[in-house]
Amino acid sequence: MEDKGLVHVYTGDGKGKTTAAAGLAARAAGHGLKVLFVQFFKEDSAPSGEKEFFRREGSGVEVLRSNCRHPMFTGGATDLAFVKKSVLDTYALARKKASDGGVDLLVLDEVMSAVNGGWISLDDLLGFLDSRPSGLEVVLTGRNAPVELVRSADYVTEMLKIKHPYDAGVPARKGIDF
């Protein structure tokens, strides 16, 4: 790994943000790097191909999930205090693991939703990025990346939706969309 880790932002309303992050995680693990793949707003019981693959013995990828759903998917049934605690606890654990060393690539999947929802402060995330171990590569995913994160990142990719089967009533498909 290079001495200086870089920051990647995968944002936009198109499909592929988590897929790109998972691909980079697989590439890094394939080269023997230690990867921490953190997923906000994903329950542990929720199906996900990347979760199943990365949790296999010897993958080189540790998966950490906040084990709560985003309120946009649960409506009035959302316990906002639980969501906030879950997101903050997951973020704190991810920061600790990354700061303690032994992690080469940190993926914070759907962190933009956590920041834009007010669960993680933008200043706190920017502070973490500035103070992270020098060799730590970080990937941040999610829609509506704040301009401050875009400015501070080394890589910024926007996934632009031109057409999506969901718009025609096709539900998410196992193995392709999750």
Side-chain angles (χ1 to χ4, degrees), residues 22-89:
L24 183 57
R27 175 181 286 161
H31 284 286
L33 301 180
K34 295 294 183 189
V35 179
L36 178 58
F37 200 95
V38 180
Q39 293 188 297
F40 295 100
F41 306 109
K42 303 270 173 66
E43 293 175 305
D44 235 13
S45 61
S48 150
E50 67 271 9
K51 175 191 76 169
E52 300 308 321
F53 184 78
F54 289 150
R55 284 195 171 160
R56 290 182 183 161
E57 182 77 29
S59 76
V61 178
E62 179 183 354
V63 177
L64 181 62
R65 286 182 148 199
S66 66
N67 206 24
C68 67
R69 293 183 69 202
H70 194 285
M72 72 184 288
F73 297 113
T74 59
T78 303
D79 178 347
L80 293 177
F82 172 75
V83 171
K84 182 172 186 169
K85 180 175 179 3
S86 179
V87 166
L88 286 175
D89 288 352

